Amino acid sequence: MLNLILFGPPGSGKGTQAAKLVDKYKLLHISTGDLFRYEIGHKTELGMKAQQYISKGELVPDEITIGMLKNKVEANLDANGFIFDGFPRTIAQAKALEDYLHSRSLEVDALLALHVHDEEIVKRILKRGETSGRPDDLDESIIRNRIEVYKSETSPIYDYFDKKGKAYKVDGIGTIDEIFDRLCKQIDSIHI
Ligand code: C5P
Ligand code: MG
């Protein structure tokens, strides 16, 4: 199994790159943001709870997110591996993911962090908002809040995995194919 965390701020291209990576490495893409949007679309109890946070650009409480993530992994343990996109978002989520994978004799193999500066992110998300149908992509103050939450709550996860020698930085500026090549080179260098 190859288990990768695709890391980076909102709008850094995680979803776009994950779609290409799953094709190449035959992994299962798990985007917690997409899972929440599915739940919201189906007006489930979990979706209604999550929406209160997502609409403000805040994080959904860990216990809700971790429970949903575990269910998804548990239902797909026959996969070749996973690409986690948008998860973990907090150190508590990172630890819960590791504990869960360890309990299944699995581990996080690498965290790949896409680097994109703030103004480019705001530009990209506003552009995505023209077609994504995501209310949280339309309002610049919500987008900026998401970036702030990323900096305070999420970015420390990089150091957490860096201390374990598992974190890799990738330049997230360029064409989709250029960035994909950079990611593949990193993955191939750690996964022989
Ligand atoms: O990952 P994505 O950008 O699609 O997530 C959209 C929103 O879902 C986030 O801004 C946040 O409100 C919520 N979310 C969360 N915890 C996660 C993933 C997403 O709270 N682990
Ligand atoms: Mg995404």
Side-chain angles (χ1 to χ4, degrees), residues 21-28 79-81:
L21 291 169
V22 294
D23 236 31
K24 174 159 176 169
Y25 295 96
K26 308 292 171 225
L27 305 171
L28 187 80
N80 275 333

Side-chain angles (χ1 to χ4, degrees), residues 66-78:
I66 291 166
M68 181 179 74
L69 186 279
K70 280 188 191 169
N71 286 339
K72 185 73 182 175
V73 175
E74 191 75 24
N76 291 284
L77 283 171
D78 56 345

